[in-house]
Amino acid sequence: MKKLIYLFLLILTPLLSYTQITVTSANLPNIGDTVITAEDFGNYSPGASGASQNWNFANVAGMPDMLLGFIDPLTTPYQSSFPSSNICAQVDSATYYYLNRSVNGLAAVGFVDVGMVYPYNKMILPTPLNYQDTITNTQILFQWDTLLVPPLPSILAGIPGPYTIDSVKSIYGNTDKYIVDGWGQVQLPNGTFDALRVFETSFEFDNTLFKITDTLTGLSQWIQDPASGSISWNESRYSWRTNDSTITWSLAEIETDSAGNPYGDIVYYLGNSLSSIVISPPMVDLDKLVDVSCNGFSDGFIMLDVFGTATPLTFSWTGPNGFVSTSQDIFNLEPGGYVVSV
């Protein structure tokens, strides 16, 4: 009997062995990739840190909440606004996220929503990652420079001396810190994957600088406003990254409060193709809504984003004054409430 048990252990051991991995830029999205994630609301825990961990999320059962299609920025309408972007994620017909993919990771450089262009610098998926790494990234989000005419006495800003202030600079940004605190395997409904666990904390900062000029020597310098320099916590999360060649996104993410306590909900990787998952009933989201331009007019419209695999999809709209429609998008609308069933 002892020999049988020993043989069983020899057979089982390779199945339970974990591999400490490295996640590199080869594990980032490429043009042509698709990423589908789902979200489950519950009481999920990030588990423990350290080596040879087993993070079991095999029982998650959420609904799909995001589909990202990665495309060439050159094929989009706003590439000229973000020349540093070399890959773009299209969320819907009017929303584009412009990204830069490099050996240092996947970073956002800006986005466009319904024709409005917004610069936005933030690291999304840092690389390379190894167990016990700590990575810090600081990005300037917005910066304003204001020339003061005429210059103001520096004492008005609490700066004594023979100085005048001729310019004010405001800088707003964020600092993201990534700590790789564990390695092991993640279990999801679609498989088991070698993974690294990363704890990410994001802080926001707001600095004001004055350009002061010495009225005796004429020399100028930038100094920080003594009353500025605030730093505040923004968000924290645990994420799990893999070097599996078929997955170019985080395996799972659990957000936490500033003390690292999980909120309980989980976002997890669902797949890279609609053919591999079933989405029924479909997900319906508002793509664009335009109100009537003037009282008494009938020129409003509603456009939907619909995400589902149980085709063909049918639409049933109802609205004021007996309005009905079976189209996905409806136009020439008068004021009132509209309801759709998909």
Side-chain angles (χ1 to χ4, degrees), residues 96-113:
Y96 300 86
Y97 281 87
Y98 288 86
L99 313 167
N100 180 267
R101 184 185 189 275
S102 71
V103 294
N104 297 319
L106 184 71
V109 297
F111 66 96
V112 175
D113 186 22

Side-chain angles (χ1 to χ4, degrees), residues 169-234:
K169 179 184 296 183
S170 296
I171 302 174
Y172 173 74
N174 59 44
T175 296
D176 300 321
K177 187 175 184 179
Y178 307 87
I179 301 174
V180 186
D181 67 358
W183 66 270
Q185 288 188 334
V186 168
Q187 296 182 49
L188 292 175
N190 55 356
T192 299
F193 307 93
D194 292 328
L196 297 173
R197 191 179 80 165
V198 183
F199 183 62
E200 173 190 346
T201 305
S202 178
F203 300 92
E204 296 178 342
F205 60 85
D206 188 358
N207 294 330
T208 300
L209 304 176
F210 297 130
K211 184 180 180 183
I212 63 172
T213 299
D214 190 317
T215 57
L216 300 179
T217 65
L219 298 177
S220 298
Q221 60 178 319
W222 285 98
I223 65 169
Q224 184 167 316
D225 177 6
S228 76
S230 63
I231 299 176
S232 59
W233 173 82
N234 183 28

